[in-house]
Amino acid sequence: MSEEILTNAPESRANFITHIIDEDLASGKHNNVYTRFPPEPNGYLHIGHAKSICLNFGIAQEYQGKCNLRFDDTNPVKEDVEYVDSIKADVEWLGFKWEGEPRYASDYFDALYGYAIELIKKGLAYVDELSPDEMREYRGTLTEPGKNSPYRDRSVEENLALFEKMKNGEIAEGKACLRAKIDMASPFIVMRDPVIYRVKFAHHHQTGDKWCIYPMYDFTHCISDAIERITHSLCTLEFQDNRRLYDWVLDNISIERPLPHQYEFSRLNLEGTLTSKRKLLKLVTDGIVDGWDDPRMPTISGLRRRGYTPASLREFCRRIGVTKQDNVVEYSALEACIREDLNENAPRAMAVINPVKVVIENFGDKEILKAPNHPNRPELGERELPFTRELYIDEADFREEANKQYKRLVLGKEVRLRNAYVIKAERVEKDASGQITTIYCTYDPETLGKNPADGRKVKGVIHWVSAEENKPAEFRIYNRLFTVPNPGAADDIETVLNPESLVVKHGFVEPSLANAKAEQGYQFEREGYYCLDSKDGSAENLVFNLTVSLKEGFSA
């Protein structure tokens, strides 16, 4: 299927799934809407899951229906309670509440086992003892049909006895499995006698050691949907062919009708990121990133730690919409959502990330100036800024010589300090290497909140922090983790890592940020949007993460 780049947002919430639901309700096929979000607890959720969360829970909200949170916990080898807890936290943080208690596929293991017995008794399932390699050989290819296993025509009694042995732990892993008996010549490989149970001697985080056979996803998922009375089972496009198996299983077991129906939509492919949990896990285990919640990760917890808000992620999912068309979404579309949110809601503050000292030679005692916390939201109040004889400005905001396009501080010229006075650079002091260490200035005391009285035009405005009353801070400037648009295609992921994905700097922030709260976004004026790091930041150790630049296309 062709791909397109998505940058613009559809304005309507309507999509092909809501049209189907509208028709189902109008025709009386369903009287209510019941959806589910069914993650496998084998890693942390990423931005792609956010789309599925917003779709499933959002549809339930829109139609006054219900949405379950169900853990697809059929592979205990890769699953962990840590992942279960992180998934619950992510769903709640995004602003959604599931119906009742969380469900687990393992809640239905007894029922699933019973339905497997039913298929065996109907002659629709058999125990196969082909090795994994032999099974692949017998399966065929996309252009050639498969061939029947020599164990396919075992009697019902023999299959029941062997399946009982599997359940009792009397058959080793990899030596036998239970397969559905469908059609080895089917053009759809998923229908060529798929495995529905396998032996696995593994402790399960919910059922302990009760089971040593575990059902496969395709067998489990549809039955779980039916048990929970799900009306619309929403999956991504890679499960489109699996719908045939979904329907086959439900059609051939004695489960309550009406049956759920599966609908597929395109998954979210975000430019420049990985959404494979296996590859994300490798980044974590290899120590390339600082855990699943590293702010460079596309995980929901990573985005949260970086300063993204639930509203910004919900808006992003709304804008990209729901279609059957595979697409790649530009990363700038995600950044636009958080930038708009923070521009509207984030309080303003000043931080100097690359400090150079300024001494105002004609300034005397300290003054306390007032500045609005937000230029367009007076209800957010004001903050106090100590203005002292010695200040810090950013080293990029001063040049000894510059052309007319440079609107910051130049030797012999004036500039306005944000929320303060106009100053003029008079001379500089340098160290032995020629590096400027101090800029000596004078200020015009008549310019607080107004232009110079004699009509002088001062065009530039720069930010500053008192050198005498401030808070030292660490700034973590995050860029893209990868240097290519499609890192998943790389043979070796380390060859496409961006060495500048994290740049750490040390500077100063205004005193009001001593009380900064984790996940609270701030616009550091003229620098970017930042938040206090939730893991390493505290009142005693201010660590701020760059969430997003002030303007699209800016690179730190």
Side-chain angles (χ1 to χ4, degrees):
M1 193 173 290
S2 63
E3 290 189 342
E4 60 178 333
I5 298 290
L6 289 187
T7 55
N8 297 321
E11 292 302 318
S12 173
R13 291 178 181 272
N15 54 66
F16 77 95
I17 291 174
T18 59
H19 292 323
I20 290 169
I21 294 174
D22 290 341
E23 292 173 0
D24 288 347
L25 294 175
S27 68
K29 180 179 178 180
H30 295 294
N31 296 318
N32 66 327
V33 173
Y34 210 149
T35 60
R36 81 292 167 270
F37 174 59
E40 183 179 358
N42 63 349
Y44 281 56
L45 299 182
H46 54 62
I47 186 67
H49 294 110
K51 176 180 178 180
S52 182
I53 293 169
C54 290
L55 176 60
N56 280 288
F57 284 93
I59 279 179
Q61 287 181 353
E62 187 172 343
Y63 288 92
Q64 292 79 52
K66 300 175 182 179
C67 183
N68 290 344
L69 172 62
R70 183 208 310 145
F71 292 97
D72 168 35
D73 56 343
T74 58
N75 187 3
V77 173
K78 295 184 178 180
E79 297 164 2
D80 195 281
V81 173
E82 175 191 351
Y83 300 140
V84 171
D85 292 341
S86 73
I87 289 169
K88 292 178 187 176
D90 286 345
V91 172
E92 289 185 315
W93 179 76
L94 277 172
F96 299 108
K97 182 65 182 136
W98 49 85
E99 178 67 18
E101 292 297 316
R103 272 84 165 171
Y104 296 84
S106 56
D107 294 341
Y108 313 128
F109 278 180
D110 287 305
L112 290 161
Y113 178 75
Y115 289 123
I117 295 291
E118 180 182 354
L119 289 177
I120 293 173
K121 288 180 176 179
K122 288 179 175 179
L124 295 176
Y126 63 97
V127 174
D128 195 1
E129 293 179 77
L130 289 176
S131 70
D133 288 340
E134 290 171 330
M135 196 174 294
R136 278 190 289 273
E137 179 186 340
Y138 274 63
R139 185 178 294 128
T141 67
L142 291 172
T143 57
E144 296 180 357
K147 56 183 180 180
N148 290 348
S149 166
Y151 305 102
R152 196 173 194 266
D153 295 323
R154 279 174 160 156
S155 67
V156 168
E157 292 73 22
E158 189 177 4
N159 283 316
L160 288 172
L162 287 169
F163 193 47
E164 180 74 9
K165 281 189 170 185
M166 288 172 58
K167 181 177 79 75
N168 293 338
E170 298 171 20
I171 298 179
E173 285 188 27
K175 296 300 182 182
C177 64
L178 184 68
R179 298 177 70 177
K181 187 187 289 187
I182 306 178
D183 181 7
M184 289 303 294
S186 172
F188 301 98
I189 291 180
V190 70
M191 300 298 280
R192 295 180 188 175
D193 290 10
V195 176
I196 57 176
Y197 262 92
R198 77 285 203 202
V199 177
K200 207 171 271 291
F201 294 99
H203 182 84
H204 191 283
H205 54 91
Q206 296 297 318
T207 60
D209 297 316
K210 177 180 179 180
W211 298 92
C212 60
I213 55 170
Y214 290 96
M216 302 297 287
Y217 170 83
D218 282 322
F219 182 67
T220 306
H221 185 69
C222 56
I223 295 175
S224 300
D225 281 349
I227 290 172
E228 294 177 9
R229 312 306 298 149
I230 300 303
T231 57
H232 300 82
S233 180
L234 309 180
C235 299
T236 47
L237 279 175
E238 62 262 37
F239 294 100
Q240 187 166 253
D241 287 348
N242 300 58
R243 179 167 18 103
R244 293 169 172 81
L245 180 53
Y246 184 104
D247 293 340
W248 184 92
V249 171
L250 294 181
D251 287 343
N252 286 287
I253 61 175
S254 53
I255 199 164
E256 186 179 353
R257 269 61 175 166
L259 299 174
H261 187 81
Q262 176 178 303
Y263 301 92
E264 304 86 23
F265 61 94
S266 62
R267 64 179 296 163
L268 170 60
N269 300 303
L270 186 62
E271 176 192 48
T273 64
L274 290 174
T275 52
S276 160
K277 280 194 282 189
R278 177 179 60 83
K279 293 180 179 178
L280 293 175
L281 176 61
K282 180 174 173 56
L283 293 177
V284 174
T285 56
D286 289 356
I288 293 171
V289 295
D290 176 31
W292 285 95
D293 64 349
D294 187 296
R296 294 165 292 182
M297 290 278 273
T299 54
I300 294 174
S301 57
L303 291 164
R304 177 179 180 176
R305 184 176 168 194
R306 186 161 176 170
Y308 277 74
T309 62
S312 68
L313 295 188
R314 293 195 302 267
E315 174 63 12
F316 173 65
C317 293
R318 186 194 72 81
R319 290 186 184 188
I320 61 177
V322 179
T323 71
K324 279 184 170 286
Q325 177 71 41
D326 272 340
N327 52 66
V328 178
V329 181
E330 289 187 350
Y331 200 90
S332 59
L334 174 61
E335 291 179 323
C337 292
I338 185 61
R339 190 178 285 115
E340 290 172 19
D341 185 332
L342 294 178
N343 182 55
E344 177 69 23
N345 298 303
R348 275 44 172 173
M350 290 195 289
V352 177
I353 297 175
N354 298 293
V356 61
K357 184 173 286 188
V358 166
V359 175
I360 304 176
E361 295 185 283
N362 64 333
F363 184 77
D365 296 332
K366 177 180 76 173
E367 282 188 44
I368 299 297
L369 307 180
K370 296 290 184 91
N373 286 324
H374 195 292
N376 302 318
R377 297 186 59 183
E379 71 273 16
L380 294 182
E382 293 182 325
R383 65 193 194 277
E384 294 185 344
L385 298 174
F387 188 81
T388 55
R389 185 172 187 272
E390 295 187 356
L391 310 171
Y392 288 122
I393 66 170
D394 195 282
E395 63 181 18
D397 284 342
F398 174 75
R399 290 183 187 174
E400 291 183 80
E401 296 180 359
N403 58 31
K404 292 183 179 180
Q405 281 68 46
Y406 187 76
K407 302 297 183 184
R408 287 168 272 181
L409 185 61
V410 178
L411 197 60
K413 297 185 179 180
E414 292 180 312
V415 76
R416 178 175 291 281
L417 297 176
R418 185 75 165 167
N419 300 305
Y421 298 96
V422 170
I423 63 171
K424 181 180 180 181
E426 305 288 356
R427 58 191 175 89
V428 299
E429 189 174 276
K430 301 180 181 180
D431 61 19
S433 67
Q435 183 76 23
I436 295 173
T437 57
T438 309
I439 306 164
Y440 292 91
C441 298
T442 55
Y443 88 115
D444 185 339
E446 302 301 321
T447 54
L448 182 61
K450 56 187 177 182
N451 292 322
D454 61 3
R456 302 190 319 273
K457 293 184 178 180
V458 181
K459 295 181 179 180
V461 179
I462 63 174
H463 60 288
W464 56 278
V465 168
S466 168
E468 300 167 29
E469 296 189 29
N470 60 55
K471 292 293 178 180
E474 178 178 302
F475 303 93
R476 296 178 180 174
I477 300 170
Y478 291 101
N479 292 294
R480 308 283 173 84
L481 184 56
F482 301 105
T483 57
V484 294
N486 183 16
D491 293 331
D492 181 357
I493 205 71
E494 294 199 30
T495 63
V496 295
L497 288 172
N498 177 9
E500 299 294 315
S501 64
L502 170 58
V503 176
V504 177
K505 296 189 176 183
H506 294 86
F508 304 93
V509 297
E510 63 180 67
S512 68
L513 289 168
N515 299 316
K517 300 287 192 298
E519 298 183 19
Q520 167 64 61
Y522 293 90
Q523 185 193 102
F524 287 172
E525 301 196 42
R526 303 180 64 250
E527 289 287 2
Y529 293 100
Y530 284 77
C531 75
L532 187 71
D533 185 77
S534 58
K535 183 178 287 187
D536 301 326
S538 66
E540 296 73 33
N541 181 43
L542 295 176
V543 178
F544 291 98
N545 297 330
L546 173 64
T547 304
V548 69
S549 61
L550 293 176
K551 296 180 181 179
E552 182 179 346
F554 175 81
S555 179

